[in-house]
Amino acid sequence: MSWGTELWDQFDNLDKHTQWGIDFLEKYAKFVKERIEIEQNYAKQLRNLVKKYCPKRSPKDEEPRFTSCIAFFNILNELNDYAGQREVVAEEMGHRVYGELMRYSHDLKTERKMHLQEGRKAQQYLDMCWKQMDNSKKKFERECREAEKAQQSYERLDNDTNATKADVEKAKQQLNLRTHMADENKNEYAAQLQNFNGEQHKHYYIVIPQIYKQLQEMDERRTIKLSECYKGFADSERKVIPIISKCLEGMILAAKSVDEHRDSQLVIDCFKSGFEPPGDFPFEDYSQNIYRTISDGTISTPKQEGMRIDPKTTVGKAKGKLWLFGKKPKGPALEDFSHLPPEQRRKKLQQRIDELNRELQKETDQKDALIKMKDVYEKNPQMGDPSSLQPKLAETMSNMDRLRMEIHKNEAWLSEVEGKVAARSDRRHSSDINHLVTQGRESPEGSYTDDANQEVRGPPQQHAHPNEFDDEFEDDDPLPAIGHCKAIYPFDGHNEGTLAMKEGEILYIIEEDKGDGWTRARRHNGEEGYVPTSYIDVTLEKNSKGAVTYI
């Protein structure tokens, strides 16, 4: 099966066919280009969709993380990865298919042009040989006719008795000349004919088959290239199928991670106020005024007036209490979160304490690192100056003091909230009177009234157990000293409940460090307060409980 033998006379059709092949290749390249644009736009729209629905929250936002919300955010992340795989498909198609097709199309056009030019040159040379042969043939034919005329003229004169001998001799010479020219043209025609036949045989059996074979190979390579591009087109997407499958599996896992019970518990944790449900309204007996006697009325009137409950006051105060189940009163956000319900306040305080503890741990680790570095510098002065670390160490110690004070303050508020919730619960179950929600605001111990601006709240306590703190300081008899300490660093003691001290000052220890980093001390003049345990060198009496030396 060869174009050179089967299609020896179809040069024009082969010209059209090879041009159609290149046009088809470029048409497929255009299709791939449009597919690439679709993939790119699809990936872009997916990314914009993900960006539109992604949560726009600051790191400090404490919105409840419901499992349904977390699952949706995970699905968005998986969809973003899916969009990335569509971009990979577009990039692979552009590099492996479209770019390769465009380069091959350019080379194919150049090769086709060269082969067609060779075919045209061969055909032109054959046409030239045919013209030379045809010209020699026509010239031979013409000379033959002239020779025949000369033969006829000579025979006519030779048979004419009236013709002179000179005329006959002249006609004979003309015949000989024409015969000789006819013979020469015959030989020329034979030579040209032989040459043309040789060139024609060479053209149709050697030159043209070779050119057509090259055209056939070129067209077959074009077909193979299209086949490879078809495969590459599919492979570009097949390569990302495993990753896309993982993205889809991630979406399915996100859907399976939705836990309705956990979400319900989060709703409780988010909105639980910590209050008890309102109790029964008391029965107000207005019929007593109907049945009392004149004498009884005279005696009991002051008592009845004193015991009478004002309906307006009762309803108003009960209404003020019902904000727990309706709209919360709006007020400024306070540092101790007293504007929140007890349970939410406890939750916020606990979160803040956890954050402060993490910060304190970081500062503690930094202090330990600085102390170790200082020891290394002291042992090896050539590595650095130990005094250069003192400012950073002092700053770290100051930060630790500040964080400890903040922790004490928040723990005091937390203890206050937990104590009040427990006390409120005990009061409500100990007496029937405490079930009357309509009696107005709670006692000054509570933080909630019918008006958010009328909250009664004690000042922040510096100790984790405010009741013990107050009892100790209000006790007339001072606590006995259980040891003494020496100040290693100066402490300003600006915060309430702390005791200022100078470096080297000797103080009495009246209460050990309970694990919060503070030790209670007293001066010789009787002034008491808390000092940082890390700032002092403590020596406890041997007969005291837990006698330990802290450095």
Side-chain angles (χ1 to χ4, degrees):
M1 182 181 66
S2 174
W3 287 6
T5 56
E6 305 290 340
L7 302 177
W8 62 271
D9 57 345
Q10 298 297 320
F11 181 84
D12 293 338
N13 288 330
L14 290 179
D15 183 2
K16 294 177 182 179
H17 172 74
T18 51
Q19 182 61 45
W20 172 86
I22 294 176
D23 293 342
F24 182 78
L25 186 142
E26 292 181 342
K27 181 179 181 180
Y28 178 69
K30 184 179 179 182
F31 161 77
V32 174
K33 182 180 179 182
E34 293 183 2
R35 169 67 187 277
I36 291 171
E37 292 175 353
I38 290 174
E39 291 289 350
Q40 291 173 341
N41 292 332
Y42 180 48
K44 183 179 179 180
Q45 291 176 358
L46 285 179
R47 289 195 182 278
N48 291 336
L49 181 66
V50 171
K51 184 178 180 181
K52 178 180 179 181
Y53 284 93
C54 269
K56 298 178 177 62
R57 300 195 307 271
S58 62
K60 295 183 179 180
D61 194 348
E62 298 177 357
E63 178 182 346
R65 301 289 288 176
F66 296 103
T67 57
S68 56
C69 297
I70 296 174
F72 178 58
F73 298 153
N74 291 336
I75 288 174
L76 290 177
N77 291 332
E78 296 294 345
L79 187 60
N80 192 58
D81 295 340
Y82 177 85
Q85 296 309 307
R86 304 319 305 180
E87 292 175 346
V88 171
V89 170
E91 183 178 356
E92 184 72 11
M93 286 183 179
H95 174 72
R96 183 176 177 181
V97 181
Y98 179 73
E100 186 66 22
L101 283 175
M102 296 308 295
R103 287 191 296 270
Y104 187 76
S105 174
H106 180 269
D107 297 339
L108 204 63
K109 288 179 180 178
T110 304
E111 183 180 357
R112 174 181 174 276
K113 183 178 180 182
M114 180 185 67
H115 294 326
L116 292 179
Q117 285 178 350
E118 291 177 355
R120 290 190 182 96
K121 286 181 181 180
Q123 187 66 40
Q124 289 174 0
Y125 178 72
L126 184 64
D127 291 342
M128 183 189 69
C129 293
W130 181 84
K131 286 181 181 180
Q132 290 177 353
M133 185 272 297
D134 188 61
N135 289 335
S136 63
K137 176 183 177 182
K138 289 179 180 179
K139 189 175 181 181
F140 172 61
E141 183 183 5
R142 187 172 61 251
E143 290 298 331
C144 287
R145 285 197 301 268
E146 291 294 331
E148 290 178 357
K149 289 180 181 180
Q151 178 70 28
Q152 292 174 1
S153 177
Y154 170 72
E155 291 177 352
R156 187 178 65 252
L157 290 175
D158 187 39
N159 295 326
D160 189 2
T161 57
N162 296 324
T164 63
K165 186 177 180 180
D167 293 334
V168 173
E169 190 64 24
K170 184 177 180 182
K172 185 178 180 181
Q173 292 177 355
Q174 186 67 24
L175 175 62
N176 292 333
L177 177 63
R178 290 297 178 183
T179 303
H180 177 71
M181 291 182 66
D183 291 338
E184 289 182 351
N185 286 314
K186 179 180 179 181
N187 294 332
E188 177 68 19
Y189 168 64
Q192 291 294 335
L193 179 62
Q194 185 178 4
N195 180 64
F196 173 75
N197 288 334
E199 293 297 334
Q200 181 176 252
H201 184 274
K202 179 181 178 182
H203 177 81
Y204 287 113
Y205 289 94
I206 298 176
V207 178
I208 287 300
Q210 183 67 26
I211 294 174
Y212 284 9
K213 180 181 179 181
Q214 294 173 350
L215 287 173
Q216 182 179 358
E217 291 176 351
M218 180 196 72
D219 193 70
E220 289 176 352
R221 289 198 308 272
R222 175 190 63 83
T223 305
I224 293 173
K225 177 61 68 173
L226 280 173
S227 175
E228 293 175 352
C229 291
Y230 294 159
K231 183 175 179 295
F233 183 83
D235 286 340
S236 299
E237 188 156 0
R238 187 171 62 180
K239 284 182 179 180
V240 302
I241 286 179
I243 303 178
I244 291 177
S245 298
K246 289 183 179 180
C247 294
L248 298 177
E249 289 175 3
M251 295 181 185
I252 294 174
L253 290 176
K256 291 181 179 179
S257 67
V258 176
D259 187 348
E260 67 278 9
H261 301 296
R262 182 180 175 185
D263 286 359
S264 297
Q265 185 61 42
L266 282 174
V267 174
I268 294 174
D269 295 340
C270 182
F271 301 111
K272 183 179 179 181
S273 66
F275 288 113
E276 297 275 343
D280 297 335
F281 280 83
F283 178 75
E284 301 177 13
D285 190 1
Y286 297 101
S287 64
Q288 294 179 2
N289 296 327
I290 301 175
Y291 299 107
R292 67 183 181 181
T293 59
I294 298 175
S295 59
D296 292 337
T298 304
I299 297 174
S300 61
T301 296
K303 183 176 181 180
Q304 290 293 333
E305 291 177 354
M307 294 296 293
R308 182 180 298 177
I309 301 174
D310 188 357
K312 295 181 179 180
T313 304
T314 302
V315 173
K317 292 182 178 180
K319 184 178 180 181
K321 197 68 178 180
L322 289 176
W323 69 267
L324 294 172
F325 309 97
K327 202 171 183 180
K328 295 182 180 179
K330 294 182 179 180
L334 303 177
E335 183 184 6
D336 59 353
F337 300 113
S338 58
H339 60 289
L340 297 175
E343 182 65 22
Q344 299 302 316
R345 183 186 180 194
R346 183 194 64 76
K347 182 179 176 182
K348 294 286 186 180
L349 288 172
Q350 187 62 53
Q351 290 177 354
R352 181 186 288 175
I353 290 172
D354 293 341
E355 293 176 0
L356 291 173
N357 282 326
R358 287 193 292 269
E359 294 180 12
L360 179 60
Q361 184 61 40
K362 291 180 181 178
E363 295 293 337
T364 303
D365 295 341
Q366 185 175 0
K367 182 201 73 171
D368 295 340
L370 290 172
I371 291 175
K372 290 180 181 179
M373 189 179 295
K374 184 178 179 182
D375 294 340
V376 172
Y377 286 175
E378 289 176 350
K379 295 178 181 179
N380 302 284
Q382 68 275 10
M383 297 184 66
D385 184 11
S387 60
S388 63
L389 301 176
Q390 190 61 35
K392 184 64 177 177
L393 186 60
E395 180 183 355
T396 303
M397 300 293 287
S398 176
N399 290 338
M400 292 173 63
D401 294 338
R402 176 181 56 80
L403 291 172
R404 287 193 183 102
M405 295 300 296
E406 287 291 329
I407 291 173
H408 277 292
K409 182 167 60 175
N410 285 274
E411 285 179 345
W413 289 334
L414 181 62
S415 299
E416 176 187 354
V417 174
E418 293 176 345
K420 288 179 180 178
V421 171
R424 184 181 299 111
S425 178
D426 293 340
R427 288 197 304 271
R428 295 183 68 86
H429 292 287
S430 63
S431 175
D432 293 337
I433 299 177
N434 291 329
H435 289 281
L436 302 179
V437 181
T438 59
Q439 293 300 316
R441 300 186 185 91
E442 297 179 4
S443 64
E445 297 176 1
S447 299
Y448 291 87
T449 64
D450 55 344
D451 188 354
N453 297 324
Q454 295 180 0
E455 296 173 353
V456 179
R457 174 170 55 86
Q461 301 296 326
Q462 299 298 330
H463 198 270
H465 305 284
N467 295 332
E468 295 177 7
F469 183 90
D470 294 340
D471 293 341
E472 289 170 355
F473 274 91
E474 292 175 1
D475 194 355
D476 296 332
D477 297 329
L479 294 175
I482 60 174
H484 64 275
C485 67
K486 180 180 179 180
I488 303 175
Y489 305 105
F491 179 63
D492 51 19
H494 291 323
N495 294 321
E496 183 181 356
T498 59
L499 182 65
M501 62 181 180
K502 299 178 181 179
E503 184 177 355
E505 185 178 358
I506 304 298
L507 303 172
Y508 292 114
I509 301 298
I510 59 177
E511 185 179 321
E512 295 182 61
D513 186 349
K514 296 183 179 180
D516 53 9
W518 294 88
T519 301
R520 190 172 178 183
R522 181 170 59 218
R523 281 202 180 91
H524 296 283
N525 59 5
E527 185 179 357
E528 297 179 0
Y530 286 92
V531 295
T533 306
S534 58
Y535 277 40
I536 58 176
D537 182 7
V538 180
T539 302
L540 298 177
E541 300 296 337
K542 293 183 179 180
N543 58 354
S544 65
K545 184 179 179 180
V548 181
T549 301
Y550 299 91
I551 298 178

